[in-house]
């Protein structure tokens, strides 16, 4: 297939390549008639601009990077779909990068962006991330960064999150109302702001109901299912009095159910479970899982809209808009009281 | 933060920018001493090449596009992780594009690649895709395309798939052995080669056991959970004799379970279910789901390895290597016979 480039268009139209290039970029320097001739021929010959060449001219890649810990999670999958819906409507590509919860990988990814590969970055920080210089360095290079779900403290920019403190409080209160008096919490990374919020919500609800917060009831898991299974099993063996579990991360659900099952701790008769989860499977688990459902798709749409608005207005600085979208408690059989 | 570019490096070293550029590209025209001086300073000053500028020179983007129908599926999530593991090890970025099962979106995505945005494409075709001109057009422009899981017929290139026919036959045979005599099949797109293989495997197993293949036992679903729920419910209402379900796509599992539940058809006592699924939740569903587990992570690794090998050897043509990795039947409670 013949390669259609600017030169080929220019030759056919008896124009210079720079005139053709400006016409295609809708430059004010080119008359309407010429523009129309150029566009008509470009369309007829199926001309596709070379993205690298046009990026050098306009300093735009029309690409947004989405940096997330994992796609293997309903929340992030739905958030990416929301981001993509908005990006596609504005003619932007999205580049999905996975950190696999590693700060080192997150640093390497952000470093690569300093070359100008992307116009902006939407990110949810890794569970390991404790410092923020790599994010600040990217901002200093003029690449706008915005956070969704997991924000980094100390970085001034726009963020879209959910009401983690309130929904965790709501979930814990629900367990208390269902009769639980020894509620444990499963976390993945206590340094993450969202996890700190969830732990605080849990503490608040315990305090409200006069229950003690116990450090040994908080288990910090990893992203390895086998390790998590063992850690949860150990918790339940060490503390047979535990009658409620607040699972703050979807991926821990399977391990929690399996540990309860293998120890003969019936859900919900012996242990009641609430999990932060956006999985459609929640309704068909054994037993059906009571969940805190986060507004994942809406969060993706909202953060992409904020970034694209800034890019359109050529703002490198996104401001410090902070949007909070509420999560929902969906009660199912894993916290039922009539089965006891 | 000061921007470190070629000019800055050249000034400091008293060299021309073209010498610095060639040294960084390890050109044979530059002596070893000079190369070492350039690299040392580049490292010291934390120089990051402008990817657009260097792409124009080397005609390489170091980016691979992964075009898939959906990330909201354990299979694709695991396959992407496999691809990424290999790409990262070779210094390639991956760009994930979602077609949402739309042929039109798939065409638009591939069209954008014609400009040279990516070095190669790994794809799993959309459920709607019936023609292949857009794929052939991209190959004709010199962009290598390889398939994983869902291949397009009539396109000569490398592909990594699983033994869909055999595993579907195995699953159906398992249902027959568990006493099912009226087995229905839930599909999403009968024109997809993998779906045709799965239907053929199902037909073969039925023929083996002397059961009739019935066209009205094959339901073609969509990617809308509500529509699928209604279609499956309608099937079960119209055919109360159905005692086995072969679910060929993971996303249909939740709808199938819900339809059975709402109609009071107990799994496995009244209806036994086997599903193609890579979800870790399978083990904790109510009841635990018998699955055909596909080698998703391994498939991603294998197809990325094939593409990167070709790119390294500057082969635009990937050959017609066809790798088949086997799937596994994992028997769980949804096909149990001792509960009847």
């Amino acid at each position: 297939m013949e390669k259609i480039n600017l030169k080929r268009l220019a030759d056919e139209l008896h124009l210079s390549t720079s005139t053709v290039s400006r016409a295609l970029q809708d430059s004010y320097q080119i008359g309407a008639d010429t523009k129309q001739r150029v566009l008509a021929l470009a369309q007829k010959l199926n001309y596709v601009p070379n993205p690298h060449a046009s990026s050098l001219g306009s300093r735009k890649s029309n690409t947004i990077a989405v940096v997330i810990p994992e796609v293997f999670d309903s929340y992030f999958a739905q958030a990416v779909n929301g981001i993509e819906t908005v990006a596609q409507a504005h003619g932007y590509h999205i580049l999905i990068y996975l950190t696999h919860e590693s700060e080192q990988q997150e640093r390497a990814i952000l470093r690569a962006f300093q070359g100008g590969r992307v116009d902006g970055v939407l990110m949810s920080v890794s569970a390991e991330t404790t410092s923020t210089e790599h994010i600040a360095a990217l901002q200093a290079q003029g690449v706008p960064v915005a956070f969704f779900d997991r924000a980094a403290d100390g970085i001034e920019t726009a963020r879209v999150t959910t009401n983690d403190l309130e929904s965790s409080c709501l979930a814990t209160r629900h367990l208390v109302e269902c009769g639980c008096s020894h509620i444990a919490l499963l976390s993945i990374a206590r340094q993450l702001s969202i996890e700190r919020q969830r732990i605080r919500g849990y503490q608040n609800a315990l305090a409200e109901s006069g229950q003690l917060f116990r450090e040994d009831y908080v288990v910090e898991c990893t992203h390895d299912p086998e390790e998590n299974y063992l850690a949860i099993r150990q918790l339940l063996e060490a503390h047979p009095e535990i009658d409620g579990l607040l699972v703050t991360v979807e991926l821990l659900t399977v391990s929690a159910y399996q540990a309860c099952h293998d120890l003969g701790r019936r859900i919900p008769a012996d242990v009641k479970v609430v999990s932060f989860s956006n999985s459609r499977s929640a309704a068909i688990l054994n037993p059906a899982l009571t969940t805190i459902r986060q507004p994942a798709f809406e969060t993706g749409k909202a953060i992409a809209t904020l970034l694209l608005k800034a890019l359109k207005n050529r703002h490198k600085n996104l401001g410090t808009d902070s949007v909070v979208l509420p999560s929902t408690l969906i009660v199912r059989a894993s916290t039922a009281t009539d089965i006891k």
Side-chain angles (χ1 to χ4, degrees), chain A residues 60 117 141 158 163 215 251 276 300:
Chain A
K60 275 187 64 180
R117 185 179 287 273
Q141 296 259 347
N163 55 347
E215 193 54 57
L251 84 95
F276 280 72

Side-chain angles (χ1 to χ4, degrees), chain A residues 6-263:
Chain A
L6 283 180
K7 189 165 179 327
R8 170 69 206 283
L9 295 177
D11 287 349
E12 190 128 335
L13 293 162
H14 304 292
L15 295 169
S16 72
T17 51
S18 76
T19 302
V20 171
S21 169
R22 285 184 192 140
L24 289 171
Q25 284 169 42
D26 203 21
S27 161
Y28 67 93
Q29 298 165 294
I30 309 294
D33 278 4
T34 308
K35 275 184 197 167
Q36 209 165 2
R37 280 175 59 211
V38 172
L39 286 176
L41 185 67
Q43 199 156 21
K44 186 179 150 208
L45 296 183
N46 195 15
Y47 167 74
V48 182
N50 178 330
H52 301 303
S54 55
S55 295
L56 275 179
S58 65
R59 305 223 169 267
K60 275 187 64 180
S61 63
N62 275 323
T63 302
I64 292 170
V66 181
V67 181
I68 54 177
E70 194 57 78
V71 279
F72 198 19
D73 175 291
S74 307
Y75 177 85
F76 289 115
Q78 289 163 20
V80 165
N81 282 349
I83 290 170
E84 224 213 355
T85 304
V86 174
Q88 227 163 34
H90 288 79
Y92 274 79
H93 300 284
I94 67 167
L95 246 159
I96 303 175
Y97 283 87
L98 308 177
T99 62
H100 299 289
E101 304 285 15
S102 150
E103 178 168 3
Q104 199 193 334
Q105 283 197 37
E106 188 178 285
R107 287 174 170 279
I109 290 166
L110 263 60
R111 196 149 199 266
F113 297 158
Q114 293 192 12
R117 185 179 287 273
V118 299
D119 293 343
V121 177
L122 299 178
M123 72 184 289
S124 215
V125 299
S126 93
E128 274 184 6
T129 301
T130 48
S131 67
T132 54
E133 294 116 35
H134 56 305
I135 305 172
L138 192 58
Q139 287 184 310
Q141 296 259 347
V143 180
V145 179
F147 296 115
F148 66 100
D149 194 43
R150 302 182 183 176
D153 295 333
I155 296 285
E156 285 209 354
T157 189
R159 58 196 71 205
V160 178
T161 55
T162 185
N163 55 347
D164 287 293
L165 191 150
E166 291 79 3
S167 43
S168 178
C169 186
L170 187 69
T172 311
R173 205 181 282 147
H174 173 66
L175 286 168
V176 170
E177 285 163 1
C178 293
C180 298
S181 55
H182 294 86
I183 302 168
L185 179 143
L186 309 180
S187 170
I188 55 158
R190 297 182 66 169
Q191 76 273 18
L192 275 177
S193 63
I194 61 166
E195 285 291 276
R196 287 203 311 271
Q197 294 293 312
R198 289 173 190 177
I199 293 172
R200 204 174 307 158
Y202 158 77
Q203 289 173 314
N204 290 357
L206 291 181
E208 246 176 47
S209 67
Q211 296 190 17
L212 273 185
F213 168 73
R214 290 177 55 160
E215 193 54 57
D216 55 348
Y217 275 10
V218 177
V219 176
E220 193 162 336
C221 297
T222 66
H223 54 284
D224 180 286
E226 293 310 311
E227 282 179 23
N228 295 339
Y229 168 81
L230 292 174
I232 299 166
R233 200 183 155 117
Q234 214 164 5
L235 169 80
L236 293 171
E237 282 175 326
H239 299 286
E241 74 281 7
I242 287 175
D243 55 5
L245 279 181
L246 176 58
V247 183
T248 64
V249 183
E250 177 179 309
L251 84 95
L252 303 175
T253 308
V254 176
S255 302
Y257 265 55
Q258 285 175 331
C260 287
H261 176 267
D262 294 352
L263 292 172

